[in-house]
Amino acid sequence: MGQQVQDGFTDLYGTAPEGVWSAPGRVNLIGEHTDYNDGFVMPFALPHTATAAVSRRTDGVLRLHSADVEGGVVELRLDDLVPGTDKNWTAYPAGVVWALREAGHAVTGADVHLTSTVPAGAGLSSSAALEVVIALALNDLYELGLQRWQLARLCQRAENVYVGAPTGIMDQTASACCEDGHALFLDTRDLSQKQIPFDLAAEGMRLLVVDTQVKHSHSEGEYGKRRAGCEKGAALLGVDALRDVPYADLDAALARLGDEEEVVRLVRHVVTEDERVERVVRLLESGDTRAIGPVLVEGHASLRDDFRISCPELDLVVDTALASGALGARMTGGGFGGSAIVLADVTDVDTITKAVEEAFATAGFKAPRVFEAVPSPGARRVS
């Protein structure tokens, strides 16, 4: 992929790039909609990546081209970059350049050619991969000296402010910081990280991603409503964030919310989900990987019934997989479509995959895309 992108850059711009970088998409094992509540998450990087060939410019011009999008090179002036004005894919890389410059970093332009194998709209953070690969390339080329977590923060700012999607910090941190063969236990309040070994193959298990092919868009309101509801819950309970509601005190906290039925549901999901992340960490560290299966199922029920962000396709994946012998399954990502994950013994993978595909056909749904999720390295320079 690196050579292909390098050659594409040379064909486009008439000279070889200064380097090639890649950044992965991610799957979140557990910890959904906790990141913007200062809570815990546990993603790992996918082998699917955004790959970018990049060179510096000194004239205040940003030229962007994607091998995956129809059309030629898009040319932007850095001084003209304004949040909310770009509704195309170019908003993600341009937003990163804007965020770097807003933070005082002397980026004077770039030529970019990129491609991505991260499925778009599947809840696997294709946008974060796009942001992080640009941030890492510019950090290296301009010798900015930023740490990975700092790059993740700037990429989140690009997505929140420039693109206008109210996402938390998990996706960008996962893309920037994950390690091969590990899941990343991340405290989104202080950004402390712990790499947790997660080698399913060694234990005879697999984690499948089932992309339902139902596309979602975070910036279209429902995600923002959930976030606002969580913030309302924290305010009513007198805490900085729902992270501060102890799991042991959940019932008392919910009682204090009275008849705020929607807020009660949102608070219950976030507080129990943080506890589920901590439980999965303990199970993995103790070597009891199989036991995380039921925790994944609990997480799906909470997302479906309390947070109400599942959809018929996601529920069908989970129900069918469990009925076909899966150890656990849940929706992953922002919701309203996207993907589900399925934990299974290697001997059951084919049976489960076939059952899910048949269930979708019977229901008249678009055929799902099923692939194995292998914990992979985070963002890196390729050449």
Side-chain angles (χ1 to χ4, degrees), residues 79-343:
D79 290 343
D80 296 339
L81 299 180
V82 177
T85 56
D86 188 347
K87 301 302 180 188
N88 301 305
W89 70 269
T90 49
Y92 296 99
V96 171
V97 175
W98 170 85
L100 285 166
R101 283 164 54 86
E102 281 281 299
H105 301 292
V107 175
T108 55
D111 286 340
V112 177
H113 171 62
L114 55 85
T115 187
S116 179
T117 58
V118 186
L124 303 174
S125 296
S126 57
S127 59
L130 197 53
E131 293 156 359
V132 170
V133 74
I134 299 300
L136 183 61
L138 296 176
N139 187 50
D140 287 356
L141 289 174
Y142 282 98
E143 299 180 343
L144 303 179
L146 295 166
Q147 301 295 311
R148 294 299 182 97
W149 67 268
Q150 293 173 303
L151 294 177
R153 271 272 190 244
L154 285 163
C155 289
Q156 182 200 14
R157 179 164 165 75
E159 187 146 350
N160 288 173
V161 180
Y162 196 88
V163 178
T167 52
I169 189 66
M170 172 180 66
D171 298 348
Q172 293 84 1
T173 306
S175 187
C177 300
C178 279
E179 292 182 5
D180 197 16
H182 291 74
L184 177 68
F185 176 39
L186 173 67
D187 181 335
T188 65
R189 170 165 282 169
D190 62 13
L191 297 189
S192 59
Q193 303 177 15
K194 188 174 186 182
Q195 301 287 346
I196 308 292
F198 191 52
D199 184 0
L200 291 173
E203 301 186 59
M205 287 178 278
R206 297 288 185 272
L207 192 79
L208 301 177
V209 174
V210 182
D211 176 4
T212 64
Q213 308 273 1
V214 177
K215 303 301 180 190
H216 66 79
S217 177
H218 281 164
S219 34
E220 281 176 9
E222 289 298 323
Y223 186 105
K225 284 183 196 170
R226 302 303 190 282
R227 183 165 183 163
C230 290
E231 289 166 356
K232 181 179 179 181
L236 289 171
L237 293 169
V239 294
D240 289 338
L242 294 182
R243 146 74 172 277
D244 298 312
V245 179
Y247 177 70
D249 298 344
L250 177 59
D251 288 344
L254 297 181
R256 284 169 54 203
L257 293 170
D259 58 1
E260 292 275 358
E261 189 262 340
E262 182 182 8
V263 176
V264 165
R265 287 191 287 99
L266 298 178
V267 170
R268 182 166 54 219
H269 166 72
V270 173
V271 176
T272 58
E273 186 80 347
D274 274 334
E275 188 275 336
R276 280 186 284 272
V277 177
E278 294 184 292
R279 218 183 326 157
V280 167
V281 171
R282 290 195 298 272
L283 289 168
L284 291 178
E285 289 187 326
S286 68
D288 195 4
T289 306
R290 297 177 71 85
I292 73 172
V295 189
L296 302 183
V297 179
E298 281 178 39
H300 183 76
S302 183
L303 289 162
R304 180 191 65 211
D305 301 337
D306 276 346
F307 230 67
R308 299 189 180 177
I309 56 170
S310 190
C311 65
E313 291 86 351
L314 289 167
D315 293 340
L316 185 60
V317 174
V318 172
D319 294 344
T320 305
L322 293 174
S324 306
L327 301 168
R330 74 172 191 90
M331 60 154 285
T332 186
F336 312 105
S339 299
I341 55 174
V342 177
L343 181 69

Side-chain angles (χ1 to χ4, degrees), residues 338-357:
S339 299
I341 55 174
V342 177
L343 181 69
D345 285 313
V346 65
T347 51
D348 293 329
V349 165
D350 289 345
T351 302
I352 292 167
T353 301
K354 186 164 183 267
V356 169
E357 289 171 346

Side-chain angles (χ1 to χ4, degrees), residues 17-89:
E18 292 186 80
V20 179
W21 290 260
S22 75
R26 65 95 189 100
V27 159
N28 194 21
L29 182 63
I30 193 77
E32 221 63 83
H33 288 269
T34 49
D35 59 348
Y36 54 80
N37 290 291
D38 282 2
F40 305 121
V41 294
M42 201 171 183
F44 63 88
L46 287 167
H48 307 71
T49 60
T51 304
V54 185
S55 287
R56 289 167 291 181
R57 296 179 66 95
T58 58
D59 59 357
V61 170
L62 176 64
R63 293 198 292 181
L64 300 168
H65 184 267
S66 170
D68 311 316
V69 180
E70 290 280 323
V73 174
V74 177
E75 185 169 311
L76 304 167
R77 291 206 60 78
L78 300 191
D79 290 343
D80 296 339
L81 299 180
V82 177
T85 56
D86 188 347
K87 301 302 180 188
N88 301 305
W89 70 269

